[in-house]
Amino acid sequence: MYGTTPMGDVVDIEGGLAAGLPDIVAYPDIETIKTVPWEPGVAHVIADVFNPDGSPSAESPRYVLKQVIEKFSSIAGTPICGPELEFYLLEESDTNDSGWARYGESPGNVYVSGLRGDPENVLLASLRQLGAYDLDVIAANHEFSSGQFEINLWHSDALDACDRAFRFKAAVKEMARAGGKLATFMAKPFNDEGGSGFHLHFSTQDAAGNHLFGDPNSHNGLSAVAHHAIGGILKHAPALANPTINSYKRFGPDTLAPWLIDWGLDNRSAIVRIPPERGSASRLELRLGDASANPYLLTAVTLAAAYLGIKNEIDPGPALEGYGYDPERSPKLPSSLCEALDALEADSEMREVLGEGFVTTFLAYKRHEIERFNAFITDWEFREYTYHL
């Protein structure tokens, strides 16, 4: 299951094809049962995955996150997360080669709501269903680009937040299909428009409910724990691999997506932004992730890096001020999936926290993806070369 590509190929990960594709066992987590509002009489449940011998499946993203949460909580309390996800809504088209065009195509509908940017009120209808699905949606709007929307989920403990984000992505795609449309969380589906992000707000609290990232006596209102968490994320940022080849086309100067490894106070060009609220609302916003990310894995790598920063008391250095795309000030993030995978493989501390079983499988699966892409003739190559060469 974990070695099957979007095109239906089977990648020979450890314990997979070469081992005869053995069974796995899925145990439903009964606490996650929800009725599905748009499918009467249907319920949805999330399962944990095990090998037939009873050992947990090391490749399972939910298991990886559980293991990281356990390590993080041993030194820094209970991690709290709030996901923000962007996506494009497409409608069928006879004029586009792909068969799909951006829904509600019209310029300048940045952060609007209502029929201007959503002529069929798809967003409002979806929000009503998502509310009945108990996903704790708190805000939604039309994003920068035509047909692009953002929906924010309320914060909760990291596992619950990821369960809701996982369900949210599946629900949005299912409801779009039911309405004859296509919702995509692809990082950058269009050359002429921006990409879609998965921003993760993150804080932590102790057993008594005290929030550990705020400190009213510090110069910027953040605690030493928060600074060390930032330091860990910056140090291990190259290994926080965005998941697809397409992911890296979202990054670049002046994109509102991070390009360099830095942090800033309410600065949206930084990889780690600190929103202006303090006290119990003190938190980090990781802006690295794109919408295609698996919620469990994006959260797991964030917590793993923060854990290492807190454990090793890593100093993040001074906060970015002003323009955040000057490569002379800060090092660049990896510019390709290949570079990011190499960084993950070389980061022994991250490998240990995430688990060797998962990292080995992830590297094999993603390098197979790169091999398939490198052997494929793209539309760009045909357009660029056929006439002149």
Side-chain angles (χ1 to χ4, degrees):
M1 179 177 70
Y2 295 122
T4 305
T5 75
M7 292 293 102
D9 302 309
V10 179
V11 181
D12 189 16
I13 61 176
E14 185 175 348
L17 190 63
L21 297 175
D23 272 353
I24 57 171
V25 183
Y27 287 98
D29 183 343
I30 301 302
E31 294 183 359
T32 68
I33 289 180
K34 304 284 184 186
T35 57
V36 181
W38 57 91
E39 292 287 358
V42 175
H44 183 275
V45 66
I46 296 173
D48 287 310
V49 181
F50 294 82
N51 301 311
D53 64 5
S55 61
S57 172
E59 299 88 0
S60 166
R62 199 169 190 252
Y63 173 73
V64 172
L65 176 60
K66 284 184 173 183
Q67 296 300 105
V68 174
I69 290 173
E70 185 176 337
K71 289 184 175 71
F72 183 94
S73 299
S74 69
I75 64 169
T78 301
I80 306 297
C81 296
E84 295 181 0
L85 289 119
E86 298 168 347
F87 61 94
Y88 276 93
L89 192 62
L90 312 179
E91 54 190 0
E92 293 188 52
S93 169
D94 295 330
T95 59
N96 286 16
D97 291 341
S98 66
W100 298 97
R102 291 187 291 261
Y103 160 70
E105 183 76 51
S106 187
N109 287 321
V110 181
Y111 300 152
V112 304
S113 59
L115 299 179
R116 257 184 61 188
D118 183 9
E120 298 175 27
N121 242 347
V122 173
L123 182 61
L124 185 58
S126 299
L127 289 174
R128 288 175 173 146
Q129 299 282 27
L130 293 171
Y133 201 23
D134 198 24
L135 296 187
D136 289 340
V137 171
I138 58 167
N141 57 268
H142 190 285
E143 252 296 335
F144 259 78
S145 305
S146 293
Q148 188 184 38
F149 298 90
E150 176 180 307
I151 296 180
N152 299 348
L153 307 183
W154 189 244
H155 58 267
S156 65
D157 70 83
L159 182 62
D160 175 73
C162 290
D163 284 343
R164 289 184 291 114
F166 175 79
R167 282 183 148 135
F168 164 81
K169 294 178 73 172
V172 166
K173 289 186 281 190
E174 187 75 3
M175 289 187 290
R177 281 292 192 177
K181 294 180 171 57
L182 174 67
T184 180
F185 291 86
M186 183 177 173
K188 195 175 189 323
F190 303 105
N191 285 310
D192 61 338
E193 290 287 8
S196 293
F198 184 160
H199 299 159
L200 187 69
H201 291 252
F202 156 52
S203 61
T204 186
Q205 62 186 39
D206 64 19
N210 299 308
H211 295 266
L212 303 181
F213 277 0
D215 181 356
N217 298 317
S218 74
H219 70 284
N220 58 18
L222 296 177
S223 67
V225 173
H227 282 97
H228 294 152
I230 296 168
I233 291 172
L234 298 188
K235 178 181 178 181
H236 296 280
L240 308 186
N242 285 65
T244 71
I245 291 166
N246 175 259
S247 295
Y248 297 84
K249 297 180 179 179
R250 169 177 163 262
F251 297 141
D254 307 320
T255 58
L256 290 182
W259 188 47
L260 306 177
I261 300 173
D262 49 24
W263 71 287
L265 301 172
D266 200 13
N267 191 324
R268 282 179 166 78
S269 58
I271 185 177
V272 177
R273 167 181 172 259
I274 309 301
E277 297 86 358
R278 291 295 182 267
S280 62
S282 299
R283 64 193 186 279
L284 320 181
E285 179 192 13
L286 182 77
R287 296 179 62 81
L288 173 65
D290 68 65
S292 65
N294 180 300
Y296 301 104
L297 296 183
L298 175 63
T299 305
V301 296
T302 303
L303 296 182
Y307 161 79
L308 291 169
I310 296 167
K311 177 184 176 184
N312 298 319
E313 298 185 352
I314 297 174
D315 181 357
L320 165 70
E321 293 184 8
Y323 185 71
Y325 296 103
D326 181 2
E328 294 185 4
R329 182 194 182 280
S330 304
K332 289 183 183 180
L333 286 161
S335 60
S336 68
L337 180 59
C338 186
E339 285 183 31
L341 295 179
D342 288 346
L344 173 59
E345 184 173 36
D347 194 328
S348 58
E349 290 183 301
M350 282 291 287
R351 291 178 66 112
E352 182 179 356
V353 177
L354 296 173
E356 283 292 337
F358 163 74
V359 173
T360 300
T361 296
F362 185 80
L363 291 173
Y365 182 86
K366 285 298 170 180
R367 283 179 171 147
H368 184 273
E369 184 174 325
I370 293 170
E371 290 173 7
R372 289 186 291 120
F373 178 78
N374 288 341
F376 190 82
I377 310 306
T378 65
D379 293 343
W380 184 93
E381 292 168 280
F382 188 86
R383 183 189 65 195
E384 187 80 1
Y385 302 129
T386 49
Y387 180 80
H388 295 286
L389 301 182

